[in-house]
Short mmCIF file of all heavy atoms in Angstrom, two decimals:
data_model
loop_
_atom_site.label_atom_id
_atom_site.label_comp_id
_atom_site.label_asym_id
_atom_site.label_seq_id
_atom_site.Cartn_x
_atom_site.Cartn_y
_atom_site.Cartn_z
N GLY A 2 0.77 -1.23 0.00
CA GLY A 2 0.00 0.00 0.00
C GLY A 2 0.80 1.28 0.00
O GLY A 2 1.31 1.71 -1.03
N LEU A 3 0.90 1.91 1.17
CA LEU A 3 1.50 3.23 1.29
C LEU A 3 2.92 3.33 0.74
O LEU A 3 3.27 4.36 0.16
CB LEU A 3 1.47 3.68 2.76
CG LEU A 3 1.95 5.11 3.04
CD1 LEU A 3 1.12 6.11 2.26
CD2 LEU A 3 1.90 5.41 4.52
N PRO A 4 3.80 2.33 0.91
CA PRO A 4 5.15 2.48 0.34
C PRO A 4 5.14 2.84 -1.14
O PRO A 4 5.96 3.64 -1.58
CB PRO A 4 5.78 1.10 0.57
CG PRO A 4 5.09 0.57 1.77
CD PRO A 4 3.67 1.07 1.65
N GLU A 5 4.24 2.23 -1.90
CA GLU A 5 4.19 2.54 -3.32
C GLU A 5 3.84 4.01 -3.56
O GLU A 5 4.31 4.63 -4.51
CB GLU A 5 3.18 1.64 -4.03
CG GLU A 5 3.69 0.24 -4.33
CD GLU A 5 3.69 -0.67 -3.12
OE1 GLU A 5 3.25 -0.23 -2.03
OE2 GLU A 5 4.15 -1.81 -3.24
N LEU A 6 3.04 4.58 -2.66
CA LEU A 6 2.68 5.98 -2.80
C LEU A 6 3.87 6.89 -2.53
O LEU A 6 3.89 8.05 -2.95
CB LEU A 6 1.53 6.32 -1.83
CG LEU A 6 0.23 5.54 -2.03
CD1 LEU A 6 -0.79 5.96 -0.98
CD2 LEU A 6 -0.32 5.79 -3.44
N LEU A 7 4.86 6.40 -1.81
CA LEU A 7 6.03 7.18 -1.45
C LEU A 7 7.21 6.90 -2.37
O LEU A 7 8.34 7.25 -2.07
CB LEU A 7 6.42 6.90 0.00
CG LEU A 7 5.37 7.24 1.05
CD1 LEU A 7 5.83 6.84 2.43
CD2 LEU A 7 5.03 8.73 1.00
N GLY A 8 6.97 6.24 -3.49
CA GLY A 8 8.04 5.99 -4.45
C GLY A 8 8.43 4.54 -4.54
O GLY A 8 9.47 4.22 -5.11
N GLY A 9 7.61 3.65 -3.98
CA GLY A 9 7.96 2.25 -3.99
C GLY A 9 8.68 1.88 -2.71
O GLY A 9 8.57 2.57 -1.70
N PHE A 10 9.44 0.81 -2.73
CA PHE A 10 10.14 0.37 -1.53
C PHE A 10 11.44 1.12 -1.32
O PHE A 10 12.04 1.07 -0.28
CB PHE A 10 10.35 -1.14 -1.57
CG PHE A 10 9.07 -1.87 -1.33
CD1 PHE A 10 8.16 -2.08 -2.35
CD2 PHE A 10 8.72 -2.28 -0.07
CE1 PHE A 10 6.96 -2.71 -2.14
CE2 PHE A 10 7.51 -2.90 0.17
CZ PHE A 10 6.63 -3.13 -0.87
N GLU A 11 11.86 1.87 -2.34
CA GLU A 11 12.90 2.87 -2.16
C GLU A 11 12.19 4.21 -2.03
O GLU A 11 11.37 4.57 -2.87
CB GLU A 11 13.86 2.91 -3.34
CG GLU A 11 14.92 4.00 -3.21
CD GLU A 11 15.80 4.14 -4.44
OE1 GLU A 11 15.56 3.42 -5.43
OE2 GLU A 11 16.73 4.96 -4.40
N PHE A 12 12.50 4.96 -0.98
CA PHE A 12 11.82 6.22 -0.74
C PHE A 12 12.29 7.27 -1.74
O PHE A 12 13.48 7.59 -1.81
CB PHE A 12 12.09 6.70 0.68
CG PHE A 12 11.33 7.95 1.05
CD1 PHE A 12 10.02 7.86 1.51
CD2 PHE A 12 11.91 9.19 0.94
CE1 PHE A 12 9.31 9.00 1.85
CE2 PHE A 12 11.20 10.34 1.28
CZ PHE A 12 9.91 10.24 1.74
N LEU A 13 11.36 7.82 -2.53
CA LEU A 13 11.65 8.87 -3.50
C LEU A 13 12.92 8.60 -4.29
O LEU A 13 13.94 9.28 -4.12
CB LEU A 13 11.78 10.23 -2.79
CG LEU A 13 10.53 10.71 -2.06
CD1 LEU A 13 10.81 12.05 -1.39
CD2 LEU A 13 9.35 10.83 -3.00
N PRO A 14 12.92 7.61 -5.16
CA PRO A 14 14.12 7.26 -5.92
C PRO A 14 14.69 8.45 -6.66
O PRO A 14 13.97 9.35 -7.09
CB PRO A 14 13.63 6.19 -6.89
CG PRO A 14 12.39 5.65 -6.28
CD PRO A 14 11.76 6.79 -5.55
N GLU A 15 16.03 8.43 -6.81
CA GLU A 15 16.69 9.51 -7.54
C GLU A 15 16.22 9.52 -9.00
O GLU A 15 15.96 8.49 -9.58
CB GLU A 15 18.20 9.32 -7.52
CG GLU A 15 18.82 9.50 -6.15
CD GLU A 15 20.32 9.41 -6.24
OE1 GLU A 15 20.95 10.35 -6.77
OE2 GLU A 15 20.87 8.41 -5.77
N SER A 16 16.15 10.69 -9.57
CA SER A 16 15.73 10.81 -10.95
C SER A 16 16.42 12.00 -11.58
O SER A 16 17.19 12.71 -10.95
CB SER A 16 14.21 10.99 -11.04
OG SER A 16 13.86 12.27 -10.57
N ALA A 17 16.08 12.24 -12.82
CA ALA A 17 16.66 13.38 -13.53
C ALA A 17 16.17 14.70 -12.94
O ALA A 17 16.72 15.76 -13.26
CB ALA A 17 16.30 13.31 -15.00
N LEU A 18 15.16 14.66 -12.07
CA LEU A 18 14.66 15.90 -11.48
C LEU A 18 15.62 16.47 -10.44
O LEU A 18 15.58 17.67 -10.16
CB LEU A 18 13.30 15.64 -10.81
CG LEU A 18 12.12 15.41 -11.74
CD1 LEU A 18 10.87 15.12 -10.92
CD2 LEU A 18 11.90 16.62 -12.65
N ALA A 19 16.47 15.63 -9.86
CA ALA A 19 17.35 16.11 -8.79
C ALA A 19 18.25 17.24 -9.25
O ALA A 19 18.32 18.30 -8.59
CB ALA A 19 18.16 14.95 -8.22
N PRO A 20 18.97 17.09 -10.38
CA PRO A 20 19.79 18.22 -10.81
C PRO A 20 18.96 19.45 -11.16
O PRO A 20 19.39 20.58 -10.92
CB PRO A 20 20.49 17.68 -12.07
CG PRO A 20 20.45 16.19 -11.92
CD PRO A 20 19.14 15.91 -11.23
N LEU A 21 17.74 19.23 -11.69
CA LEU A 21 16.88 20.37 -12.04
C LEU A 21 16.49 21.14 -10.78
O LEU A 21 16.59 22.36 -10.72
CB LEU A 21 15.64 19.88 -12.77
CG LEU A 21 14.61 20.96 -13.14
CD1 LEU A 21 15.21 21.93 -14.14
CD2 LEU A 21 13.35 20.32 -13.69
N ILE A 22 16.07 20.40 -9.76
CA ILE A 22 15.65 21.05 -8.52
C ILE A 22 16.82 21.77 -7.87
O ILE A 22 16.73 22.93 -7.47
CB ILE A 22 15.05 20.01 -7.55
CG1 ILE A 22 13.74 19.46 -8.13
CG2 ILE A 22 14.80 20.63 -6.18
CD1 ILE A 22 13.17 18.30 -7.35
N GLY A 23 17.95 21.05 -7.77
CA GLY A 23 19.10 21.64 -7.11
C GLY A 23 19.71 22.78 -7.88
O GLY A 23 20.10 23.80 -7.31
N GLY A 24 19.78 22.65 -9.21
CA GLY A 24 20.49 23.64 -10.00
C GLY A 24 19.67 24.84 -10.41
O GLY A 24 20.21 25.92 -10.60
N LEU A 25 18.37 24.66 -10.52
CA LEU A 25 17.54 25.74 -11.03
C LEU A 25 16.62 26.32 -9.96
O LEU A 25 16.69 27.51 -9.64
CB LEU A 25 16.72 25.25 -12.22
CG LEU A 25 17.56 24.74 -13.42
CD1 LEU A 25 16.64 24.20 -14.50
CD2 LEU A 25 18.43 25.86 -13.97
N LEU A 26 15.79 25.48 -9.38
CA LEU A 26 14.80 25.98 -8.42
C LEU A 26 15.44 26.48 -7.14
O LEU A 26 14.88 27.33 -6.46
CB LEU A 26 13.78 24.88 -8.11
CG LEU A 26 12.99 24.34 -9.31
CD1 LEU A 26 11.95 23.33 -8.85
CD2 LEU A 26 12.33 25.48 -10.08
N CYS A 27 16.62 25.92 -6.77
CA CYS A 27 17.26 26.30 -5.51
C CYS A 27 18.39 27.30 -5.71
O CYS A 27 19.09 27.64 -4.76
CB CYS A 27 17.80 25.07 -4.79
SG CYS A 27 16.53 23.89 -4.33
N ASN A 28 18.56 27.76 -6.91
CA ASN A 28 19.60 28.75 -7.17
C ASN A 28 19.25 30.06 -6.46
O ASN A 28 18.14 30.55 -6.56
CB ASN A 28 19.73 28.99 -8.68
CG ASN A 28 20.97 29.77 -9.04
OD1 ASN A 28 21.23 30.84 -8.49
ND2 ASN A 28 21.73 29.21 -9.96
N LYS A 29 20.22 30.61 -5.72
CA LYS A 29 19.94 31.79 -4.92
C LYS A 29 19.55 33.00 -5.77
O LYS A 29 19.01 33.98 -5.26
CB LYS A 29 21.15 32.14 -4.05
CG LYS A 29 22.34 32.66 -4.81
CD LYS A 29 23.43 33.14 -3.84
CE LYS A 29 24.62 33.75 -4.60
NZ LYS A 29 25.62 34.28 -3.67
N ARG A 30 19.82 32.95 -7.06
CA ARG A 30 19.52 34.08 -7.92
C ARG A 30 18.08 34.07 -8.43
O ARG A 30 17.65 34.99 -9.12
CB ARG A 30 20.48 34.11 -9.11
CG ARG A 30 21.90 34.46 -8.70
CD ARG A 30 22.88 34.29 -9.85
NE ARG A 30 22.99 32.90 -10.26
CZ ARG A 30 23.88 32.46 -11.15
NH1 ARG A 30 24.71 33.30 -11.72
NH2 ARG A 30 23.94 31.18 -11.46
#
């Protein structure tokens, strides 16, 4: 049940979104 809602049995698996979030959305500028 709930584990699948949280990304499966690995919590929030890494994806191509990580560099996007870190590099763009979190940029101090």
Side-chain angles (χ1 to χ4, degrees):
L3 185 58
E5 281 78 2
L6 300 178
L7 299 176
F10 287 82
E11 177 186 3
F12 185 84
L13 298 179
E15 292 185 71
S16 71
L18 288 177
L21 177 64
I22 294 172
L25 300 177
L26 301 184
C27 298
N28 192 307
K29 70 173 183 177
R30 290 172 295 187

